[in-house]
Amino acid sequence: MRNTERLRLLYCDHLSLARGKYLPLKDLKDGGAGFCRTTFGVHYDKDLLPAPGAMMLEGCPDMEAKYLSSDIRESWNDEEHVVVGDLYDTDGNVLALCGRQALKRAIAEWEIKDLHPMIGIELEATAFVFNEDGHLEPYHTPGGFVYGTGPFSDPAGFTDAIWRRASEIGFNLDMISSEYFTPQFEFTLTFDRALKAVDDTFLFRLMAREIALEHGILLTFLPKPIPDIGGLGMHVNVSFQDAEGNNCIKT
């Protein structure tokens, strides 16, 4: 484990944004931090809406993101660890808006039947660069095509950097390649138990965007950021394992 100075506590909001805080990391133990629950009423353009559960008109109360020490993991950035938290209201009750807790409840229902949900997620993204005027334009791939690899598909090598960093900190990648239109890319993580697979996907996506930015590239997972070409998908593959770890189908 690297020498670290801080903990990056994150949760996924309704916009699929990774909201969080940096906290001092004195030891690896359970903990948490407060946030305003009205972030669930914030739109992409930062309009504040009275969305269900956000309580914008009821005083903008707090919520708490709590984490377990067992969920703390090494970060892709130096001198930090990272963890995904669960959300609770100020009375200590599970926040209904918390997607991670909803997933846990769904998993528990299947485990009553001695079945463990397994998930594999395929992510697709579009790459942009900043031009001389500071505006975004599509990343130039001089010979890009579907299932392309190498410098013709990624001359800056940012996907190579993503692969290296992912391997260093324990993400399991099945593949990276270019997609049907350029500059689109696909990142596929190895299937795993549902909660771990979703946590890994949430963190991998953030890591990929931050590493791409180190190469001057803005990577977005929005479904159709360029109107004139085909959009992007996110494929979710689901299966079940029995108590012995065997793939199974029960009717």
Side-chain angles (χ1 to χ4, degrees):
M1 185 175 293
R2 280 182 292 190
N3 180 33
T4 59
E5 295 179 353
R6 61 184 182 176
L7 177 66
R8 191 178 186 182
L9 169 60
L10 299 168
Y11 70 90
C12 187
D13 76 354
H14 59 300
L15 303 177
S16 202
L17 296 176
R19 299 190 187 272
K21 289 182 177 181
Y22 287 111
L23 305 173
L25 182 63
K26 297 179 180 178
D27 47 39
L28 300 179
K29 63 180 182 180
D30 298 352
F35 296 85
C36 178
R37 70 184 286 173
T38 309
T39 52
F40 282 97
V42 179
H43 203 262
Y44 279 118
D45 57 7
K46 297 188 179 179
D47 276 352
L48 193 57
L49 308 175
M55 300 187 72
M56 187 194 78
L57 302 178
E58 293 79 32
C60 301
D62 285 340
M63 62 182 181
E64 187 174 10
K66 297 181 180 181
Y67 62 87
L68 300 175
S69 60
S70 56
D71 289 334
I72 296 174
R73 61 172 78 188
E74 195 172 7
S75 173
W76 51 94
N77 296 317
D78 292 335
E79 297 186 343
E80 74 175 35
H81 278 74
V82 64
V83 69
V84 182
D86 289 321
L87 300 177
Y88 296 82
D89 64 22
T90 53
D91 293 324
N93 302 309
V94 172
L95 195 71
L97 295 167
C98 180
R100 192 169 188 261
Q101 287 280 10
L103 177 59
K104 286 183 175 181
R105 292 193 294 273
I107 292 170
E109 290 294 320
W110 284 106
E111 289 182 341
I112 291 173
K113 305 176 185 295
D114 292 325
L115 293 173
H116 301 286
M118 309 295 292
I119 293 180
I121 298 180
E122 304 169 33
L123 297 166
E124 297 178 6
T126 304
F128 293 87
V129 295
F130 295 92
N131 61 25
E132 293 180 354
D133 298 325
H135 298 132
L136 287 173
E137 61 183 31
Y139 172 50
H140 179 57
T141 57
F145 51 85
V146 64
Y147 299 137
T149 58
F152 281 107
S153 296
D154 178 16
F158 81 95
T159 57
D160 296 332
I162 290 171
W163 189 290
R164 284 194 298 270
R165 200 80 63 88
S167 298
E168 289 170 359
I169 62 172
F171 286 117
N172 295 316
L173 277 167
D174 273 355
M175 74 93 175
I176 295 177
S177 75
S178 61
E179 252 295 338
Y180 192 83
F181 292 99
T182 59
Q184 297 174 343
F185 296 88
E186 180 172 327
F187 307 89
T188 301
L189 277 70
T190 305
F191 77 96
D192 211 321
R193 292 285 179 100
L195 183 63
K196 183 178 186 301
V198 172
D199 279 352
D200 282 357
T201 300
F202 171 61
L203 293 174
F204 174 85
R205 188 176 55 185
L206 178 61
M207 181 199 73
R209 297 192 72 225
E210 293 183 352
I211 292 173
L213 192 62
E214 293 174 3
H215 290 73
I217 292 167
L218 181 66
L219 193 66
T220 176
F221 292 87
L222 289 172
K224 196 172 175 66
I226 303 177
D228 297 334
I229 66 173
L232 298 165
M234 185 187 77
H235 303 139
V236 181
N237 305 290
V238 181
S239 62
F240 294 90
Q241 286 185 350
D242 61 20
E244 286 73 41
N246 301 310
N247 185 44
C248 64
I249 298 175
K250 288 190 178 182
T251 60

